[in-house]
């Protein structure tokens, strides 16, 4: 919401996040060679999909590692030094998610409240005091990084669902692999396999 006493620059047009999300989902389905996670049990053997899904997760995590801070630094700049309305929509976030993104990059805690101020000058002073980085071409940086982060998070979420279903399938007949066997096959820690298996079982009411 607009803050009393703050002057805002022009809104930044938001990318088409709905289409970005749909494209990211299609990319995962194509990489997996399946139309959805549920196909794992009925249409293919589950060994290879578990590995493929984890590779997609790793790639998404690498992109997040490269672009998440860049997105959030641009957001913080635009919040403190060049206030704009509608930044949550521009970044493809909910209002809570947008405020959490700024709080994470500024305070290291996404749940930390943002400062209450009454003027642009006060905003800038607080930002400087907090060590908020000034970002050159922040608007362009945001528009570059935010869609990449959104797509990576979408691909990650879809791939995790595939992995959960693959782990579940490998835990059941005819495989009946142990978590240790699955973890060794995929190349991850055993604790992650337990977590993914439990999530899949819960989703299926088991």
């Amino acid at each position: 919401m607009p803050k009393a006493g703050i002057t805002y620059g022009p809104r930044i047009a938001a990318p088409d996040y709905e289409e970005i999300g749909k494209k990211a989902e299609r990319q995962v389905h194509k990489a997996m060679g399946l139309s959805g996670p549920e196909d794992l049990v009925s249409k293919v053997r589950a060994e290879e999909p578990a590995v493929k899904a984890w590779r997609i997760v790793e790639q998404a995590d690498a992109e997040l590692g490269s672009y998440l801070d860049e997105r959030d630094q641009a957001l913080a700049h635009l919040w403190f030094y060049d206030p704009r309305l509608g930044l949550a929509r521009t970044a493809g976030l909910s209002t809570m998610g947008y405020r959490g993104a700024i709080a994470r990059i500024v305070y290291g805690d996404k749940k930390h409240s943002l400062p209450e101020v009454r003027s642009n000058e006060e905003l800038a002073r607080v930002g400087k005091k907090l060590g908020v980085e000034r970002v050159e071409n922040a608007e362009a940086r945001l528009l570059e990084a935010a869609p990449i982060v959104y797509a990576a998070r979408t691909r990650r979420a879809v791939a995790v669902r595939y992995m959960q279903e693959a782990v579940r399938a490998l835990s059941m007949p005819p495989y009946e692999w142990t978590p240790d066997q699955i973890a060794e096959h995929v190349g991850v820690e055993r604790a992650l396999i337990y977590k993914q298996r439990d999530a899949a079982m819960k989703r299926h009411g088991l």
Side-chain angles (χ1 to χ4, degrees):
M1 292 180 63
K3 297 288 186 181
I6 304 296
T7 300
Y8 293 89
R11 289 177 182 266
I12 304 171
D16 187 348
Y17 285 110
E18 181 177 0
E19 181 54 35
I20 290 170
K22 289 179 179 178
K23 181 179 179 181
E25 288 188 31
R26 291 195 297 268
Q27 289 173 336
V28 176
H29 295 326
K30 182 178 180 180
M32 297 297 302
L34 299 165
S35 61
E38 293 73 18
D39 288 347
L40 279 165
V41 175
S42 59
K43 295 186 178 180
V44 299
R45 294 183 62 83
E47 302 101 308
E48 190 60 27
V51 176
K52 286 183 177 180
W54 182 244
R55 298 297 172 262
I56 295 170
V57 171
E58 289 183 316
Q59 177 60 37
D61 283 345
E63 291 186 28
L64 291 171
S66 297
Y67 289 96
L68 183 60
D69 281 358
E70 183 174 341
R71 184 201 69 179
D72 293 351
Q73 285 167 352
L75 278 175
H77 172 95
L78 292 166
W79 199 86
F80 284 95
Y81 302 125
D82 187 12
R84 307 293 186 93
L85 292 174
L87 283 176
R89 186 170 183 271
T90 303
L93 295 165
S94 66
T95 300
M96 183 177 296
Y98 144 73
R99 293 180 69 87
I102 296 172
R104 182 192 71 83
I105 204 70
V106 174
Y107 297 103
D109 178 6
K110 66 181 181 179
K111 294 183 180 180
H112 197 290
S113 61
L114 298 181
E116 295 292 333
V117 295
R118 298 179 180 274
S119 71
N120 293 65
E121 293 75 17
E122 188 180 358
L123 259 179
R125 284 197 301 272
V126 171
K128 183 178 181 180
K129 183 177 180 180
L130 290 171
V132 176
E133 180 180 339
R134 286 186 177 271
V135 177
E136 187 175 354
N137 299 320
E139 178 178 334
R141 297 281 291 276
L142 175 61
L143 289 173
E144 176 189 8
I148 294 173
V149 170
Y150 190 93
R153 281 185 163 167
T154 301
R155 291 199 310 275
R156 190 186 198 286
V158 176
V160 165
R161 179 77 174 265
Y162 271 108
M163 186 175 178
Q164 289 171 352
E165 291 300 323
V167 169
R168 172 176 172 265
L170 290 172
S171 301
M172 299 167 58
Y175 304 98
E176 296 184 301
W177 286 11
T178 67
D180 284 305
Q181 288 174 307
I182 300 172
E184 182 178 0
H185 176 70
V186 178
V188 299
E189 295 294 327
R190 180 179 60 180
L192 177 64
I193 298 302
Y194 278 111
K195 181 179 178 181
Q196 303 292 9
R197 185 188 65 180
D198 291 348
M201 294 296 189
K202 183 178 180 180
R203 187 165 52 247
H204 288 275
L206 301 173

